Amino acid sequence: MSNKDTNLAKPMKIGPRTAPNRFVINAMECCDATPDGGFSERSLERYWNLAKGQAGVVVFESITMQYDSRARDMQIALRKDNPTNIEEWRKFIKDFKALNPDSLLIVQLNHSGEISGGGDQKRVCVKPLHGFGGDLVTDEYVDNTIDEFVEASKILYDLGADGVDLKFCHGYFGSQILRPYNDRKWKYGGAWENRSRFAFDMTEKVRKLIPDENFLIGSKVSMWEGFPGGQGSAGPDTAVMDLTESLDLCKGLEERGASFILESTGAPSITMALHMPEKGKADDVYLHFSMANWIKKAVSKDMCVMGGAYSVLNKGKNTLQAVQPEWNSMFHWGNYNIEKGYCDMIALGRQSLADPLLPKKYLEDKEDDIKWCTACDSCVELLIRQQNVGCVVHNKPYTQILKDVRAEKGRLRLKVT
């Protein structure tokens, strides 16, 4: 059977729009903006390659609207008061669409909160978390942050983007407000009704300002962060899993106009392996399969659920046990999970750095030409070190960047062994 006849090759309805296939490119920050948050040649090269790769959906990496509180020194920004920046965005979207008019281009909006970068970046928090913290925010600050997300969504709509991913995951500001740990007595804390207000009001306001349903609204959600008080935990001081709030978040987002959820778990600065299964523990991917399935059961049949964490599977060179060889691959599990209704699409992160052309190669039955992610996580090391990020296995310029930074600062130990 040709790959063109598989589930991964089928189109997918997202709201009134149609993605040409079931591949999603995850938002991958790559620390290669210009000093003022614009598009560098390296930034553009990455996205032109992704456009050529023909994934059904390309989620543009996490961008900042709060340039004084951002996660990366070289993070791409949307700066409403900078006409040059806005024109760069206009040209980028136009050029992406010219290169690939079929893929849906969705932009992920974010605020870093207490995990904003060092230097002159301002860290803010809703309640100081051990090892993190920052200036305590007020009701007014959060109100203004919601307005910034809404305004940025409208700008991107006017510039021609296909939608926005309002980021409520991975320990960033959205997570910090939503998690049970935020038991502070204030407008956005304590009871779930208060904590969910940030996500629900934002989504509602975006849809009200942009009633055109062809502009897609959705969110990447950490279903369980895996530490005491994190998203998906049973209370502010326990890590015991309770998905009641996480599933209510997904349902509430749909009720307010969202048409997709991108499943995730973990908070990379705290529980990285939950978010991104490690090479030596590939079976963590099963947790993601389950989370996506629970979302599917909670939302309506019209809601698109994108499952994550597939990169670790590659073509079967992983550590999964008790699995027959013909099952042990990204493509088997992607097609199988879609067939069973556990998810609608599969999202690729690290694999998109290794080979941005994977969807095209798969659809053209050229699997032997795919450059596979080895889950070495050297790209993660580059991100943590605030260096330009790319695949060091398959892209030589990034190999050299890693060699240079290790020569200067030593090797970064990412895992406990």
Side-chain angles (χ1 to χ4, degrees):
M1 180 175 70
S2 168
N3 289 337
K4 292 180 180 179
D5 299 319
T6 63
N7 291 318
L8 284 167
K10 294 177 180 177
M12 178 65 204
K13 290 281 288 184
I14 309 176
R17 306 294 298 278
T18 300
N21 56 64
R22 304 299 181 99
F23 290 102
V24 178
I25 301 301
N26 256 321
M28 301 295 287
E29 288 183 76
C30 287
C31 299
D32 56 14
T34 59
D36 61 353
F39 293 83
S40 69
E41 290 185 10
R42 189 160 275 171
S43 307
L44 294 173
E45 180 184 20
R46 288 191 292 111
Y47 283 99
W48 301 158
N49 286 333
L50 290 172
K52 294 172 186 175
Q54 299 178 8
V57 173
V58 175
V59 184
F60 192 96
E61 67 199 83
S62 173
I63 67 168
T64 181
M65 293 80 69
Q66 307 81 20
Y67 203 64
D68 59 343
S69 292
R70 60 187 190 276
R72 320 291 169 207
D73 290 337
M74 306 300 279
Q75 185 173 4
I76 295 177
L78 181 68
R79 308 185 73 173
K80 63 182 181 181
D81 298 326
N82 184 331
T84 300
N85 177 267
I86 298 302
E87 285 307 309
E88 281 189 64
W89 272 100
R90 187 189 307 279
K91 185 176 187 310
F92 166 77
I93 294 171
K94 179 181 178 181
D95 291 348
F96 185 97
K97 290 295 182 181
L99 191 59
N100 178 354
D102 298 320
S103 296
L104 299 177
L105 179 64
I106 293 171
V107 181
Q108 187 180 82
L109 308 181
N110 192 24
H111 185 315
S112 301
E114 67 188 5
I115 53 176
S116 296
D120 60 353
Q121 297 305 306
K122 181 181 180 181
R123 290 189 175 185
V124 298
C125 71
V126 302
K127 177 187 172 184
L129 182 67
H130 179 72
F132 295 88
D135 296 337
L136 207 63
V137 296
T138 63
D139 296 351
E140 182 183 14
Y141 184 94
V142 179
D143 292 342
N144 290 337
T145 298
I146 291 174
D147 290 342
E148 287 179 334
F149 274 70
V150 174
E151 187 174 3
S153 299
K154 181 59 162 61
I155 291 171
L156 289 164
Y157 170 72
D158 291 339
L159 294 177
D162 296 307
V164 287
D165 167 3
L166 308 174
K167 187 169 187 173
F168 304 134
C169 65
H170 297 171
Y172 292 98
F173 196 61
S175 292
Q176 293 157 29
I177 291 178
L178 289 165
R179 60 176 58 138
Y181 182 78
N182 172 26
D183 59 359
R184 174 180 154 207
K185 292 181 173 25
W186 63 311
K187 179 179 178 180
Y188 293 100
W192 174 240
E193 179 183 3
N194 296 336
R195 288 181 282 120
S196 61
R197 182 179 286 130
F198 176 75
F200 290 165
D201 285 2
M202 181 189 298
T203 304
E204 203 165 57
K205 287 181 176 181
V206 172
R207 181 48 77 213
K208 183 177 180 180
L209 184 62
I210 311 170
D212 182 358
E213 293 187 356
N214 285 300
F215 186 74
L216 303 176
I217 303 171
S219 295
K220 191 169 189 177
V221 173
S222 281
M223 296 296 290
W224 182 57
E225 287 189 290
F227 65 89
Q231 281 180 272
S233 60
D237 53 6
T238 178
V240 169
M241 188 187 296
D242 183 341
L243 298 182
T244 304
E245 292 180 353
S246 295
L247 293 173
D248 188 72
L249 173 65
C250 296
K251 290 187 289 186
L253 292 173
E254 181 180 19
E255 290 166 0
R256 290 161 177 82
S259 53
F260 70 88
I261 295 290
L262 213 170
E263 172 276 329
S264 193
T265 60
S269 57
I270 303 170
T271 50
M272 181 182 291
L274 282 180
H275 151 61
M276 191 172 60
E278 297 176 353
K279 183 176 183 177
K281 201 169 181 293
D283 45 10
D284 279 344
V285 76
Y286 297 143
L287 176 65
H288 290 264
F289 294 173
S290 298
M291 292 294 179
N293 183 42
W294 284 323
I295 299 170
K296 283 291 294 178
K297 290 179 177 179
V299 299
S300 80
K301 63 180 177 59
D302 296 323
M303 188 71 154
C304 176
V305 176
M306 305 167 179
Y310 282 80
S311 292
V312 73
L313 295 169
N314 58 56
K315 64 177 179 179
K317 291 186 176 180
N318 54 57
T319 56
L320 294 184
Q321 300 297 309
V323 176
Q324 52 265 55
E326 61 270 24
W327 283 22
N328 196 8
S329 74
M330 173 195 298
F331 298 138
H332 166 78
W333 286 114
N335 282 310
Y336 179 88
N337 289 339
I338 293 169
E339 179 69 27
K340 291 294 184 181
Y342 299 151
C343 68
D344 297 304
M345 305 182 77
I346 69 169
L348 308 180
R350 289 169 289 179
Q351 177 59 54
S352 72
L353 298 179
D355 193 344
L357 302 182
L358 178 144
K360 177 179 169 63
K361 291 176 180 177
Y362 176 81
L363 295 169
E364 294 179 352
D365 295 309
K366 296 179 179 178
E367 292 179 54
D368 290 344
D369 295 340
I370 293 173
K371 299 174 182 177
W372 287 101
C373 172
T374 65
C376 68
D377 288 346
S378 293
C379 55
V380 180
E381 181 175 348
L382 290 173
L383 180 68
I384 292 171
R385 292 187 181 278
Q386 302 265 9
Q387 301 294 311
N388 289 178
V389 176
C391 180
V392 306
V393 175
H394 300 295
N395 202 331
K396 296 304 180 185
Y398 297 101
T399 310
Q400 190 59 50
I401 292 171
L402 184 64
K403 286 180 178 178
D404 291 344
V405 73
R406 283 180 174 176
E408 179 184 353
K409 300 181 178 180
R411 188 186 186 97
L412 184 66
R413 188 177 183 183
L414 296 175
K415 303 176 181 67
V416 177
T417 57

